[in-house]
Amino acid sequence: MVLGLRSAIGSDVGRRRTSNQDSGATTGRLLIVADGMGGHAHGEVASAVTVSAFTELEARLPPDLIDLDLAAEMTEALVDATDRLGRRAAEDPETRGMGTTVVSLLLTGEQLALAHIGDSRIYRLRDDDLVQLTHDHTMVQQLVDQGQITVEEAAHHPRRSVLMRALSTDHAPEPDLDRIDIVEGDRFLLCSDGVTAVLDDATLQRELVSGAEPDAVVDRLIELANEAGGPDNITAIVADVVELPDDEPRAQHLRVAGAAAEIAPSN
């Protein structure tokens, strides 16, 4: 049995922002969302450059990834993105301080390699059970972990978007890395906090279990986030794990969204 990913991606500026600093991309084996850091110079550049580094990584990897150290490969892509951002900032002082979150999955055999920095999230739906696979790198999440505030208090905390970790020009990347076992029927959601800041897990679960195709779910999540006020840029990827026919290749055309679709790659 050959497992593959059938995915959809969408990105929207939201109701209160004037530009989209989110970026995302999908192929037959790569999923990535990057959220340029709000309040920083040129977050859209940071997210687009990071997505470009990952899509170039995926393009140069061999068809069979089972024997590769994917944690090292994904870390290399993050270091590459950091280096590109550093060069860009050296050339253009206005871009100094730019940064981005990153969540990415890379398919290999019956597993997905995971890389995560920041507060964008990855969820897995299996047998109608929704599980968050990433842990937010935020000040508020740290307070929850330390028992100083509750999860309910965190959802409305005025500093809930303050990041403790991000990909930026200031330091080497510190990603969370993991391997996720997959089975046919799994459904994954990757999204920026423009989704999760206004839609709770119960809403996400309801939409993911709806039986709708990935593109319809992506459109619905963007619609709901905007109806809830759309305070931030909104980017989502929904991907289903499917058994591919023997004559169907895993390859899938690259699709990009958000700032990555507007900004030329930078090396």
Side-chain angles (χ1 to χ4, degrees):
M1 179 175 66
V2 177
L3 294 177
L5 297 173
R6 288 190 178 148
S7 63
I9 183 171
S11 187
D12 189 82
V13 69
R15 295 279 176 85
R16 302 184 194 173
R17 300 296 176 94
T18 58
S19 64
N20 194 348
Q21 295 190 328
D22 286 1
S23 292
T26 64
T27 72
R29 59 181 180 175
L30 173 71
L31 312 170
I32 178 170
V33 168
D35 178 357
M37 290 166 61
H40 290 69
H42 300 284
E44 70 277 5
V45 174
S47 68
V49 166
T50 300
V51 164
S52 178
F54 270 78
T55 58
E56 290 175 24
L57 164 71
E58 191 273 341
R60 68 175 177 264
L61 290 175
D64 188 351
L65 305 181
I66 293 177
D67 295 328
L68 287 181
D69 183 348
L70 290 183
E73 296 286 351
M74 296 178 90
T75 299
E76 181 181 339
L78 292 167
V79 171
D80 181 22
T82 302
D83 291 344
R84 296 186 194 194
L85 296 181
R87 291 194 296 271
R88 185 73 172 255
E91 296 168 359
D92 182 1
E94 289 188 359
T95 65
R96 290 175 184 169
M98 62 181 170
T100 185
T101 70
V102 186
V103 282
S104 184
L105 294 172
L106 185 61
L107 177 67
T108 170
E110 296 183 359
Q111 288 187 320
L112 288 167
L114 179 153
H116 162 57
I117 303 176
D119 63 351
S120 296
R121 293 180 180 177
I122 301 175
Y123 292 86
R124 182 190 64 204
L125 182 77
R126 176 179 292 172
D127 298 327
D128 294 346
D129 183 28
L130 185 69
V131 176
Q132 183 179 330
L133 299 179
T134 52
H135 196 68
D136 293 348
H137 300 143
T138 61
M139 183 189 73
V140 166
Q141 183 61 57
Q142 190 173 80
L143 293 175
V144 172
D145 294 342
Q146 294 170 351
Q148 297 185 38
I149 63 173
T150 66
V151 172
E152 291 74 21
E153 290 170 334
H156 304 287
H157 197 284
R159 304 193 70 187
R160 61 185 178 275
S161 296
V162 175
L163 295 176
M164 303 300 291
R165 273 195 261 171
L167 190 148
S168 71
T169 59
D170 298 332
H171 49 74
E174 301 176 69
D176 290 344
L177 302 165
D178 203 354
R179 286 274 194 132
I180 308 299
D181 292 329
I182 57 175
V183 297
E184 183 183 4
D186 282 350
R187 171 167 277 189
F188 289 87
L189 169 65
L190 291 75
C191 60
S192 63
D193 69 340
V195 175
T196 54
V198 293
L199 303 181
D200 60 20
D201 285 3
T203 301
L204 299 179
Q205 183 176 26
R206 183 191 70 214
E207 298 304 324
L208 291 168
V209 302
S210 66
E213 292 297 317
D215 57 347
V217 178
V218 167
D219 290 345
R220 179 62 174 158
L221 291 175
I222 291 173
E223 178 186 19
L224 289 172
N226 274 321
E227 288 178 355
D232 202 350
N233 304 145
I234 307 158
T235 301
I237 294 172
V238 173
D240 291 339
V241 177
V242 298
E243 182 179 356
L244 296 179
D246 293 338
D247 58 351
E248 181 177 337
R250 278 187 175 176
Q252 178 177 296
H253 292 304
L254 171 66
R255 291 173 293 176
V256 296
E262 305 294 334
I263 298 175
S266 175
N267 295 313

